[in-house]
Structure formats: C-alpha cells, structure tokens
Amino acid sequence: MLGDIEDWAAAASRLAGGVPLHSALDVTDPGAWLALDAAVREAAWCRPRLLPAWWHSGPPSADLTRLDESRLALALCHRDGRIRQEALRQSLRHPGLLPLVVIRCTDWAEPVREDARRLLSETLNVDSALGLAPLILRVGSRDRGAFGVDALGRTLRQASHGRLAALFTDPDRTVRRFAYRLAVEGRLLRPAELARAAARDEDTVVQDLCATAALTALADEDDYERVLTPLLSARNPRVRSAGVTALRHGCASSGRSSPASERFPHSASPMTAPGGNSRSSAAAHRPQYQAAGSPPCCRTT
C-alpha cells in the first residue's frame, strides 16, 4: 500500500490518465481503496491539477457512459453526489469497482448511499463476499456501516464450511472473528475443530469463542478426549485454562466417571497450586497423554 496522501494523489492522477486499477493500487488491500477515496477528495481541493478537466465541471450522464474502469473509479469518489450516484449506475459494467460500491454504502448523501446499498444487495454473492469481507468489516466500523456487515453475514451464511474456512486464516483478526462466529452459529465445525482453532489462533476473542463453543458442543466422551488434547497443550494460558476446567469437571454433572477422567486421575482436584498457572497443570498431565498415544504435536521431548 502506498505510504501517504502525496502517493495516493499521484495514484489518482495515474487513474485519470487511464492506468489500469491493478497497476495504480493493490486491489486486494482494503486500506488501498479507503486511501484512494480519501486521496481523490483531497486532490479535488488541494491538488486539482492532478485530476482530469471533466472533474471540475462535472460531466453529464452521457459522458460517464464513455468512461473506462479507471476513470469511473475516480467518478465514484467525486465530490459531487450527483456524479457519484451516476457513477454507481455505470459501475455495473465493471465488477472490479465493487469495493468502491461498498464504500459508497456509507456515503453521507442519502440518494448515493441508498443506490449503493441496492447495488451491493443485488451483486454480492459468496465469491465476492469472501474477497470483500475485510473491506466491508472495516467500513462497518463507520457511521452507517451496519448495512454492509449485515449483507455480508446474510451472504456468507450460504457458504459451505470449505468456502468459509478461507477466512479462518485471514491476517485481519476482525475477519477471523466474524468468520468463526458464523461457523459457530451455523454449527459448521466439530468440537475438536473448534478446540484446535482455539489453540492455534493468536487472537484472544477467537480463542475464547472457539474454546467455549467446543466445550459447549461436546456430545460424547470421544469428543471430550479430542477436545482436551489441543486445549491442554495450547500455548495461550486462556485456552489451557478452558481445558483444565473441562478436565476437572468432565463428568461432574452425571455423577459418574468416564474414560477421560480415569486417564486423568487428578481431574477431581484443583489443577493449579497457589501462585501456579494452567501451563504447569497441563504439563503435569502430558506424560499421561504420551502414554496413551497422544499425537506428536502434543508431546514434549
């Protein structure tokens, strides 16, 4: 992503000259679209020479029909709401401009905002939603941003587990949180998968969400065994603590023992000494996991 407003003003100038979008900015970076939108408005007031002549007079609708994708991107950021609104209608010819449609869904001008929302509702599908999720969620933090987030949720609820899983490893933690919430809501992940996600993800919100869902969704003793292993061997103390709690209270509600509690005879006693932590508690049980044939990833050397 380009560094400052000068760079983005220069990018806007290149777009005005007809340089393809993918050459002027990183179209996969949600921050790039937001920076472009801001830079075009900045250039309109402070660097008007960087923008094409039609920008300053405001072209009639007939002129917008002749604009290519790059110049139409500039029109979607125009300071005149009438131009932005007409550019939205013309953007149907260029699916690559959908990120700017997302941004216009929070436009301060109601006619522009409503047209953008209608267009997004008509065009958003699972494929485009997966690619636009980082931008929609970032724009969603703005005033009037809830519409896009709701549309994203409705669309991704139609996605299969395999499609939604593409967002579980997104570098943006907000995207991962959103995707895992949908997965938990739709019961798309088994308890063991949720436990592994809790142990793997570095975000505490994802950890708590997945660990809690994994323990809540436990259906049988076999699941109990598969859930405990990743939780107790997790690096994060919050996740280990969830595993320790499950180990202590595994069958308390039924009043009977289970294979899991028999494998871990200390589960009925407190797992941490005063001043201790759940890592030492979990570590105390690792030899029992190893003896029982735990996977290599859970073993210590």
Side-chain angles (χ1 to χ4, degrees), residues 20-87:
L21 271 173
H22 61 81
S23 297
L25 69 154
D26 180 358
V27 295
T28 66
D29 180 1
W33 292 101
L34 294 168
L36 176 67
D37 185 48
V40 171
R41 292 197 305 273
E42 168 77 9
W45 294 105
C46 304
R47 301 168 180 82
R49 60 183 175 77
L50 296 176
L51 297 171
W54 60 258
W55 178 278
H56 306 290
S57 59
S61 299
D63 289 337
L64 285 183
T65 63
R66 294 196 292 267
L67 294 183
D68 59 16
E69 184 182 57
S70 297
R71 296 179 177 92
L72 198 56
L74 293 180
L76 282 165
C77 306
H78 200 279
R79 62 189 178 188
D80 188 328
R82 294 168 298 179
I83 301 302
R84 297 195 303 277
Q85 187 175 22
E86 180 59 29

Side-chain angles (χ1 to χ4, degrees), residues 56-228:
H56 306 290
S57 59
S61 299
D63 289 337
L64 285 183
T65 63
R66 294 196 292 267
L67 294 183
D68 59 16
E69 184 182 57
S70 297
R71 296 179 177 92
L72 198 56
L74 293 180
L76 282 165
C77 306
H78 200 279
R79 62 189 178 188
D80 188 328
R82 294 168 298 179
I83 301 302
R84 297 195 303 277
Q85 187 175 22
E86 180 59 29
L88 281 169
R89 300 187 183 106
Q90 301 302 325
S91 68
L92 285 169
R93 299 182 282 116
H94 301 286
L97 295 176
L98 197 52
L100 289 173
V101 175
V102 170
I103 295 174
R104 294 281 70 83
C105 285
T106 64
D107 201 281
W108 57 90
E110 183 176 0
V112 177
R113 186 169 66 247
E114 292 304 316
D115 279 2
R117 291 177 175 184
R118 183 163 47 252
L119 181 58
L120 184 66
S121 296
E122 293 171 355
T123 58
L124 193 66
N125 54 37
V126 171
D127 287 335
S128 58
L130 290 170
L132 288 170
L135 176 61
I136 291 175
L137 292 173
R138 186 170 312 182
V139 172
S141 64
R142 294 179 168 183
D143 290 341
R144 302 177 295 272
F147 176 88
V149 177
D150 290 343
L152 179 67
R154 286 194 303 272
T155 302
L156 289 182
R157 284 184 182 91
Q158 304 170 27
S160 65
H161 166 264
R163 303 296 305 280
L164 188 62
L167 300 182
F168 294 162
T169 56
D170 194 277
D172 188 335
R173 64 184 181 181
T174 303
V175 174
R176 300 197 306 278
R177 292 173 182 178
F178 190 83
Y180 275 117
R181 286 190 182 106
L182 290 178
V184 169
E185 174 190 302
R187 299 182 180 181
L188 298 179
L189 297 174
R190 296 188 297 273
E193 293 176 305
L194 289 165
R196 289 194 295 271
R200 179 180 61 245
D201 202 286
E202 297 179 355
D203 179 60
T204 57
V205 173
V206 171
Q207 292 164 2
D208 288 346
L209 172 69
C210 291
T212 300
L215 296 175
T216 301
L218 283 176
D220 54 47
E221 291 168 359
D222 289 338
D223 279 341
Y224 183 72
E225 299 285 337
R226 288 193 292 267
V227 166
L228 278 181

